[in-house]
């Protein structure tokens, strides 16, 4: 229970997506004596402390903290002139460029809510996010206007572009002019500073990957942001003013935005942005800019290892952090040997702002685990078959991972049923299966919905994937269950072979034989399907629902399949 009489999620649901409390009066004006907290302070404080220190490197641009903050205040002035104020929701579809933090913090300065949109999305998905969030406007990179234009029009959200002069699109009666936010901001006077916000006011709405249907909007509060950034800056990330972070993760995603940009700015470090990740480009940037910190998802680690095998030079990294999905233990070890720095694997979700647990310098690392919970966060393992209560399980037993602490979102936007389902007895149900050992280290077993039930046995795909990734011919693999008349489900391995390996029946037979030697009989794959690539979401996770649908729609073989073994 909170000091206001009920939990943030309960108050969020009760007010249909608008939080109220003793410090806001419901309209963004603080009441006397109410606590105020703006996440815009993450940037403003560092700009006050280190105005001449480099905050962002983006191509030829080198932007100081003072300049970045001043630009955000001018962006805010332009948005305010267009009627944007406290509580308004603003779509932010901006590439990894200096315009993202400028617009992001401008929105927070006004007491409005940022709604980041992945620049790779298509018009239908963009329109859903803008409509569902009730976005008042969309700030959009000029290069993304082709997809964003129709979506914003359908959602009734006026567009301001960044990254190019004001654009005129169409002809005749269909002619439209899109003002350039950055162009207007260059001539605007800055606003005075951030609008005070209550800790439970919504700072950001982050949309989930939508692997189980339409994406849901997770409402992240100012307190969520400030606490998660301040906590993880110290541990696990240990960010300091001397660090240089490679910003290769999309800033629209929680990992790049909060763990990367947020902790970097809070510490006064430098963030080197990549517009779009390529392994060769990342290695070049890390070498030329002297990057000390890398944050990435497993697909990036795979690609960096492949690229490094073709060149002798190595960046002088101090440490690296992996998240988003499981990093195979042998990949972690190979990366450490190749780049000469420790890799810390962790765990988080969009709904948890995002960090839950991480391997941290304060304790011995345990490869294969995601470490211990971050400061102020509790993790427990609950019996996964019990939905209406939390029944804790002892150390070593597999169950559903449940979380509580300062990192929990306020709820899902305009989805009281999903919000109520997600929370039980004050705990957030992650939908992930895992276990805690006697020392409190957390191991992720798999997604609850991805578990394969074969002949009455639970098969956890991650364990099978880890075993298959040790095969010298396997570059990527995803294990899914497909319908089977005898066993209910059969274990199917979808494999992307390493370069130079021919995806044929002989390789399929080799993988099946490998499984016979290294994987228990009830969980080894009886079917092997080859694809040129796996379907990935914006965070680098394999979209297993999409993959399963592909296999089922083509009777077990996708259009890029080269061979199948049974």
């Amino acid at each position: 229970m909170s000091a206001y009489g009920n939990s943030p999620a309960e108050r969020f649901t009760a007010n249909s997506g608008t939080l109220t409390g003793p410090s806001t009066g419901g309209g963004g004006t603080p009441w006397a004596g109410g606590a105020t907290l703006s996440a815009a302070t993450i940037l403003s404080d560092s700009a006050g402390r280190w105005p001449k220190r480099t905050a962002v490197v983006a191509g030829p641009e080198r932007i100081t903290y003072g300049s970045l903050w001043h630009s955000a205040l001018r962006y805010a002035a332009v948005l305010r002139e267009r009627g944007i104020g406290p509580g308004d929701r603003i779509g932010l579809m901006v590439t990894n460029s200096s315009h993202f933090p400028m617009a992001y913090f401008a929105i927070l300065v006004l007491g409005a809510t940022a709604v980041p949109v992945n620049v790779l999305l298509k018009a239908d998905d963009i329109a859903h996010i803008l409509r569902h969030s009730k976005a008042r406007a969309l700030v959009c990179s000029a290069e993304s206007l082709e997809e964003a234009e129709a979506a914003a029009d359908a959602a009734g959200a006026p567009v301001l572009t960044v990254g190019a002069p004001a654009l005129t699109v169409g002809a005749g009666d269909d002619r439209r002019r899109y003002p350039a936010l950055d162009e207007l901001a260059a001539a605007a006077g800055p606003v005075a500073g951030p609008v005070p916000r209550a800790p439970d006011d919504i700072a950001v709405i982050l949309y989930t990957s939508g692997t189980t249907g339409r994406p849901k909007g997770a409402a992240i509060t100012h307190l969520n942001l400030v606490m998660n950034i301040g906590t993880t800056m110290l541990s696990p990330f240990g960010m300091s003013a001397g660090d240089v972070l490679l910003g290769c993760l999309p800033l629209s995603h929680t990992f790049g935005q909060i763990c990367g940009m947020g902790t970097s700015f809070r510490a006064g470090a430098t963030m080197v942005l990549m517009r779009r990740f390529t392994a060769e480009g990342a290695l070049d940037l890390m070498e030329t800019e002297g990057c000390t910190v890398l944050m990435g998802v497993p697909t990036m680690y795979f690609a960096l290892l492949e690229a490094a095998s073709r060149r002798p030079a190595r960046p002088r990294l101090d440490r690296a952090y992996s998240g988003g999905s499981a990093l195979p233990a042998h990949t972690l070890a190979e990366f450490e040997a190749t780049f000469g720095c420790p890799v810390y694997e962790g765990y988080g979700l969009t709904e948890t702002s995002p960090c839950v647990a991480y391997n941290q310098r304060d304790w011995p690392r345990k490869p294969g685990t995601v470490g211990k919970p971050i400061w102020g966060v509790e993790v427990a393992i609950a019996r996964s078959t019990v939905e209406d209560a939390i029944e804790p399980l002892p150390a070593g037993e597999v169950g559903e991972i449940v979380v509580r602490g300062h990192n929990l979102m306020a709820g899902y936007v305009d989805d009281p049923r999903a919000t109520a389902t997600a929370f039980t007895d004050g705990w957030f149900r992650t939908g992930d299966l895992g276990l805690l050992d006697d020392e409190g280290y957390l191991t992720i077993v798999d997604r609850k919905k991805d578990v394969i039930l074969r002949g009455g046995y639970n098969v956890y795909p991650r364990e099978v994937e880890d075993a298959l990734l040790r095969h010298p011919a396997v570059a990527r693999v995803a294990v899914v269950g497909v319908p089977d008349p005898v066993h209910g489900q059969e274990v199917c391995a979808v494999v992307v072979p390493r370069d130079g390996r021919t995806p044929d029946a002989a390789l399929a037979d080799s993988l099946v034989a490998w499984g016979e030697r290294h994987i228990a009989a009830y969980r080894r794959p009886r079917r092997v399907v080859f694809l040129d690539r796996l379907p990935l979401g914006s965070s680098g996770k394999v979209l297993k629902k999409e993959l399963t649908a592909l296999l089922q729609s083509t009777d077990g073989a996708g259009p890029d399949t080269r061979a199948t073994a049974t």
Side-chain angles (χ1 to χ4, degrees), residues 454-476:
R454 182 186 186 275
Y457 290 94
N458 284 345
V459 177
Y460 302 118
R462 181 185 174 185
E463 295 176 343
V464 183
E465 290 161 358
D466 285 347
L468 291 175
L469 278 167
R470 295 198 297 271
H471 191 288
V474 176
R476 312 278 190 278

Side-chain angles (χ1 to χ4, degrees), residues 40-63:
T41 308
I42 292 161
L43 178 57
S44 68
D45 182 76
S46 292
R49 292 173 186 268
W50 309 292
K52 295 183 179 180
R53 182 173 292 164
T54 300
V56 173
V57 175
E61 292 183 294
R62 306 187 83 83
I63 302 167

